Amino acid sequence: MGAVSAVLVIRGAEQGEGAGDPVVAVDEFLTAVYGERDADRASSLVCSAARDTDAIAAKIQEVADFAGRYDTARFRWTTPRVDEQTADRAVLSTRLTMTTGDERSVEQQLTFVVVRETGWWVCDVA
């Protein structure tokens, strides 16, 4: 299912506010990628080390192409769950499901690393 992933090194302060908490950061990122398929919005939600707009746009296009092979593909995900958290780093997980118009579905477990600098930012997706 073309999950967005990146190899990251956390560095430098972020520009902007970031999300208020790790769950919001992940949920907004999922909405940008799978709901809106908006590379600019997704890029604005990731840490500076992961902010490769071309790579993010390519992954979102991959998601769109995959979904386009099916009749009325829809994506949904479970509320992101915090698996680990410190003051400046959290690991969250969610189950992403794509359902087609003929009610076929495929699921994928996703794990996110988010960091806190000027708010919470998605830094890795696996």
Side-chain angles (χ1 to χ4, degrees), residues 2-4 7 11 22-23 33 40 49-50 57 60 76 79 86 98-100 102 107:
V4 178
V7 177
R11 66 173 194 260
V23 172
V33 172
D40 291 334
I60 289 175
R76 70 180 189 282
T79 300
T86 64
M98 184 189 80
T99 306
T100 63
D102 61 0
E107 294 184 344

Side-chain angles (χ1 to χ4, degrees), residues 23-41:
V23 172
V24 171
V26 170
D27 194 59
E28 287 182 358
F29 181 78
L30 288 165
T31 298
V33 172
Y34 292 99
E36 301 165 350
R37 297 192 188 118
D38 183 338
D40 291 334
R41 174 84 173 119

Side-chain angles (χ1 to χ4, degrees), residues 1 34-35 37 62-76 97-106:
M1 214 188 295
Y34 292 99
R37 297 192 188 118
E62 185 180 313
V63 168
D65 292 346
F66 181 79
R69 290 186 240 152
Y70 302 93
D71 181 37
T72 61
R74 300 173 312 278
F75 291 96
R76 70 180 189 282
T97 303
M98 184 189 80
T99 306
T100 63
D102 61 0
E103 297 307 316
R104 290 185 288 166
S105 67
V106 62

Side-chain angles (χ1 to χ4, degrees), residues 70-116:
Y70 302 93
D71 181 37
T72 61
R74 300 173 312 278
F75 291 96
R76 70 180 189 282
W77 49 90
T78 58
T79 300
R81 181 185 71 225
V82 178
D83 298 321
E84 302 172 27
Q85 184 172 351
T86 64
D88 60 356
R89 181 180 180 277
V91 177
L92 293 87
S93 59
T94 188
R95 180 160 296 281
L96 176 71
T97 303
M98 184 189 80
T99 306
T100 63
D102 61 0
E103 297 307 316
R104 290 185 288 166
S105 67
V106 62
E107 294 184 344
Q108 181 178 17
Q109 184 72 28
L110 297 176
T111 302
F112 296 81
V113 175
V114 297
V115 296
R116 182 177 183 186

